[in-house]
Amino acid sequence: MPKRDFLAIPDLSREEIGAVVDLAQRMKRGEYRDRPLEGKTLAMIFTKSSTRTRVSFEVGTLQLGGHALFLSSRDIQLGRGEPIRDTARVLSRYVDGIMIRTFAHSDVEELARHASVPVINGLTDLLHPCQVLTDVFTMHEYLGGWDGKAVAWIGDGNNMANSWLNAAAVLGFELRLACPEGYEPNHDIFEFAKAHTNVMITEDVEEAVRGAHAVNTDVWASMGQEGEAEQRMLAFKGYQVSAALMKLAARDAIFLHCLPAHRGEEVTEDVFEGPQSRVFDQAENRLHVQKAVMATLMGG
Ligand code: CP
Ligand code: NVA
């Protein structure tokens, strides 16, 4: 069997996502006791900061019987210019899977091309598939499924927005993005989603949220965009998820945020801490969903 990578949501079919969700549910309920990673090692390369991704992958690997290595790019030779393709081939001789968080998505694709073990994308400037796979699990958990559901994305057309477009394409739910001009998601990913499901972009946040079953946002300046923070603060004025905006969503709508969050910027304190917020369940679910992904890709 050729190795399988998870670089983007469409690397999994709708059926495979369904199977990952079922497995993650069993893991979350404590019904799964297998140790498919017994004696196996996951290398985790980080070129950007992380709390959730790092800890959930490390703990998840341990719970599946394996061992995880935290490799900061500051400390490995990759950070001093050793080529990605060499790093991929060397690590493949030692470990059974590689998780990487970095800037350029093409670097992750290159790593995957040259590695003989599964590669998992832990976030790039383009995509954040592990987070959005978790978010669709969280949707399934609180909304009972994806069919007939509408999701609103408010704010930056960033890595999260792009992965939500991919998820909508594969799972078939409706996605409405409210993004200011100049901050739209990736054009090709939007067109791919449009060919598969009902997606739209507007500058009107109310239009995006009206009747939505899940309302989602993220920081206005992602990692690597710190220098643009001030300019972005101006561009995203009016794109805050507030209690008044949440009132336009479906009555039982949930609020999602991948975290870390900037209260008072993309979301108000009352929504973040309010009864519709599922942000800490989302954070917990990273553990269950990534364990299911690792068991699927690395457990064989
Ligand atoms: N949501 C998320 O990926 O969090 P970290 O940056 O803390 O890993
Ligand atoms: N869009 C954010 C997500 C962080 C988990 C970033 O890339 O910084």
Side-chain angles (χ1 to χ4, degrees), residues 87-99:
T87 305
R89 286 175 288 178
V90 170
L91 289 179
S92 296
R93 303 283 178 117
Y94 301 136
V95 304
D96 306 279
I98 304 171
M99 194 277 294

Side-chain angles (χ1 to χ4, degrees), residues 46 49-54 101 122-123 128 131 223 258-260 286:
F46 283 92
S49 302
S50 171
T51 298
R52 282 145 288 269
T53 305
R54 178 186 172 174
R101 164 170 290 196
L123 180 148
H128 196 1
Q131 179 68 55
M223 290 182 275
C258 64
L259 307 182
R286 291 291 299 276

Side-chain angles (χ1 to χ4, degrees), residues 48 101 123 128 158-160 218-219 222-223 258-260:
K48 288 176 173 174
R101 164 170 290 196
L123 180 148
H128 196 1
N158 62 12
N159 44 11
M160 284 291 302
D218 188 11
V219 291
S222 285
M223 290 182 275
C258 64
L259 307 182

